[in-house]
Amino acid sequence: MTLRARLQLHSVAVVVLVVIFVSVSDNDTSVGEMLLPAAAATLVVVILSWLVTRRLTNTIAEMADVARSLARGDMSARAPLTAPGELAALATALGRLGEHLASRITDLRHEEALLGNLVEALDEGVITVNARREVTRMNAAAQTIFGATRPVPFGFDMLPRSRELRHAMESALAGIATDPVEADIGGRNVSLVARPLPGNRGIVLALFDLTRMRRLENVRRDFVANVSHELRTPLTVITGFAETLADDDIPAEMRQQFAATIRAHAERMRRIVDDLLDLSRLESGNWSPQPAEIDLAELAQEVAATFRDAAATRGLLMTVDVDATGLKADRTAVRQVLSNYVDNAIRYSEAGSVTIFGTRDLNGTTIGVQDTGPGIAQAHLSRVFERFYRVDAGRARKSGGTGLGLAIVKHLVEAHGGTVKAESELGHGTTMTAFFPDQVAGAVTSA
């Protein structure tokens, strides 16, 4: 029987006792006098019982409210500590339960925040999809891979279309984990794997962007092939002429000609090896600029004097037009930049002029070389600073170029925090520039 029912029963008992007391009092005074003390005592007991029952009922109702509040997630709710009897122990236990739940929920929130930060910090893309086929989570790496910026959740049909991606997700939703597979997603090479979540609650998809790795593999493969090709030609010439020189019947004049050819190709091989060593040193980070104040006009005249005879041989006028006289940079690096630019300009020009220039703005100094050669098509301009890239490969090899000079220039300028640029138009010459900022990045100040 519930306390509320007991309270109602006590109320009925009080009413009955009152009725009996009145009836007896009216009919028999002696009997009434006998029952009056008993009825009064019973009435007192019933009233006291009603008061105690009411207090217990209110306390239990408060505990029920506390329990419902805890169930709704209100961890601040607590049971009254003034509860009577055994209810005090129940109130204490309920309070401890609330404290334990609050502590556990706080720990879970911290773990969720830690897991979220870890997922966001991953280089791998992570996507979760629920059983309703909605994307519920997508970390920053996944957004970069998919190019997605829309807020979650959204249907996974909104993801880029890829046969491998769809197959992996459908298999995982069917409860089958997939092995890593490569897919082309939005022009990126991606390795992806899908796993179902326990309880058919959805799937998790992990993606690793292989684009940079594949690009580096291609660059390394092309580099090895280009080096092999560049060295094979002079080696073949040297071997052939050396074998011919072993013949005693060759006239002295031809011997001298063969020896000069061997010497020229050996020199070409030396230049290739030297450029490769310079490029390796720059790319490995073992070199840093040592900036110093440079008289740019004087340095430009020195470089022009070095190439003036070669320019005259090809019918070119070598000129200097430097407005900026001061430059703080590594002198050897600046000389090498100008020398490579001038060498290329002379090699690919047959008439007109080659001009070394220098200008200054608020942020730094720009140096460059302008020629009146045949120019470069727009399709090639973005790649002229790549290793071994040539606009006209046959002509470049014939003129003795290694295909590494502009790549070295790019690394030298970028080591100063600067940038390189090529501007050209077919039939209207080429302008190669290098910008050196006033604040040299990664510089080592000379003592």
Side-chain angles (χ1 to χ4, degrees):
M1 183 180 296
T2 65
L3 290 177
R4 193 175 300 278
R6 290 178 182 177
L7 179 60
Q8 293 173 353
L9 181 60
H10 292 158
S11 299
V12 172
V14 170
V15 173
V16 171
L17 286 173
V18 171
V19 172
I20 293 173
F21 176 74
V22 172
S23 299
V24 172
S25 298
D26 292 341
N27 298 328
D28 191 340
T29 303
S30 60
V31 175
E33 291 176 352
M34 294 174 59
L35 293 178
L36 182 59
T42 303
L43 180 60
V44 171
V45 171
V46 170
I47 293 174
L48 292 175
S49 176
W50 177 80
L51 292 174
V52 172
T53 303
R54 181 180 179 183
R55 182 182 179 188
L56 294 176
T57 302
N58 291 338
T59 302
I60 292 176
E62 291 179 5
M63 291 184 181
D65 290 339
V66 170
R68 283 190 288 268
S69 297
L70 293 176
R72 289 193 301 267
D74 182 9
M75 296 297 107
S76 63
R78 293 292 182 271
L81 300 178
T82 58
E86 291 82 355
L87 291 181
L90 179 60
T92 301
L94 195 59
R96 291 177 178 175
L97 175 62
E99 293 174 357
H100 176 74
L101 288 176
S103 176
R104 183 58 181 160
I105 289 176
T106 300
D107 292 341
L108 289 175
R109 287 174 178 170
H110 289 164
E111 291 178 3
E112 183 180 4
L114 176 61
L115 180 61
N117 291 332
L118 288 174
V119 170
E120 288 298 325
L122 290 174
D123 291 333
E124 293 80 6
V126 177
I127 297 176
T128 58
V129 180
N130 61 21
R132 297 189 299 273
R133 296 172 178 260
E134 295 176 331
V135 176
T136 56
R137 184 162 197 164
M138 177 181 289
N139 69 349
Q143 292 178 8
T144 300
I145 293 174
F146 287 108
T149 56
R150 61 176 62 88
V152 294
F154 60 87
F156 82 64
D157 289 336
M158 301 297 293
L159 294 175
R161 296 190 176 276
S162 167
R163 183 175 60 84
E164 294 82 4
L165 175 64
R166 301 290 172 174
H167 175 73
M169 298 181 75
E170 293 291 351
S171 298
L173 286 170
I176 304 173
T178 64
D179 295 326
V181 61
E182 286 195 28
D184 186 348
I185 299 177
R188 294 176 177 268
N189 296 108
V190 177
S191 174
L192 60 91
V193 59
R195 294 284 186 271
L197 295 173
N200 296 323
R201 292 185 293 118
I203 65 173
V204 59
L205 185 70
L207 308 102
F208 184 71
D209 193 349
L210 302 174
T211 305
R212 186 171 181 272
M213 185 183 302
R214 293 289 181 262
R215 185 180 298 117
L216 290 176
E217 290 176 355
N218 292 335
V219 170
R220 183 170 58 250
R221 183 170 55 250
D222 293 343
F223 178 74
V224 173
N226 284 325
V227 170
S228 300
H229 182 76
E230 293 296 330
L231 293 177
R232 183 184 297 114
T233 300
L235 280 174
T236 301
V237 173
I238 291 172
T239 301
F241 279 91
E243 292 176 351
T244 304
L245 285 174
D247 189 351
D248 295 335
D249 296 334
I250 297 179
E253 293 181 358
M254 293 187 64
R255 286 180 179 276
Q256 292 179 356
Q257 181 181 354
F258 291 167
T261 302
I262 291 175
R263 186 183 301 109
H265 283 276
E267 179 62 22
R268 179 184 175 188
M269 291 178 61
R270 185 192 64 78
R271 289 198 304 271
I272 293 175
V273 172
D274 288 345
D275 285 348
L276 287 173
L277 291 175
D278 289 342
L279 192 60
S280 175
R281 183 164 52 91
L282 292 169
E283 291 183 340
S284 65
N286 293 329
W287 180 86
S288 58
Q290 296 183 350
E293 292 295 336
I294 301 172
D295 186 334
L296 184 57
E298 178 185 351
L299 181 60
Q301 290 291 351
E302 292 178 5
V303 173
T306 302
F307 288 92
R308 189 161 277 115
D309 290 342
T313 302
R314 297 183 64 84
L316 298 170
L317 176 63
M318 191 81 215
T319 62
V320 175
D321 182 14
V322 176
D323 294 334
T325 58
L327 170 63
K328 188 173 183 179
D330 188 293
R331 183 181 179 87
T332 302
V334 175
R335 176 187 286 274
Q336 192 166 0
V337 169
L338 289 176
S339 296
N340 273 287
Y341 279 172
V342 171
D343 185 50
N344 275 346
I346 294 174
R347 183 179 295 117
Y348 295 108
S349 300
E350 296 180 352
S353 64
V354 174
T355 302
I356 300 175
F357 64 89
T359 59
R360 177 164 180 78
D361 58 25
L362 295 177
N363 298 317
T365 302
T366 299
I367 64 173
V369 173
Q370 184 177 29
D371 64 57
T372 56
I376 302 173
Q378 293 296 319
H380 299 287
L381 283 178
S382 61
R383 301 190 60 188
V384 294
F385 291 97
E386 295 180 10
R387 293 176 296 184
F388 292 113
Y389 188 82
R390 294 187 176 93
V391 177
D392 186 346
R395 183 178 178 183
R397 291 193 184 93
K398 183 178 179 181
S399 60
T402 64
L404 297 171
L406 293 183
I408 293 173
V409 165
K410 180 180 179 181
H411 282 284
L412 289 172
V413 176
E414 289 181 348
H416 287 75
T419 56
V420 294
K421 187 176 181 181
E423 298 176 301
S424 184
E425 184 178 349
L426 287 177
H428 294 81
T430 302
T431 301
M432 310 290 287
T433 59
F435 173 73
F436 289 86
D438 289 335
Q439 299 296 327
V440 180
V444 176
T445 304
S446 57

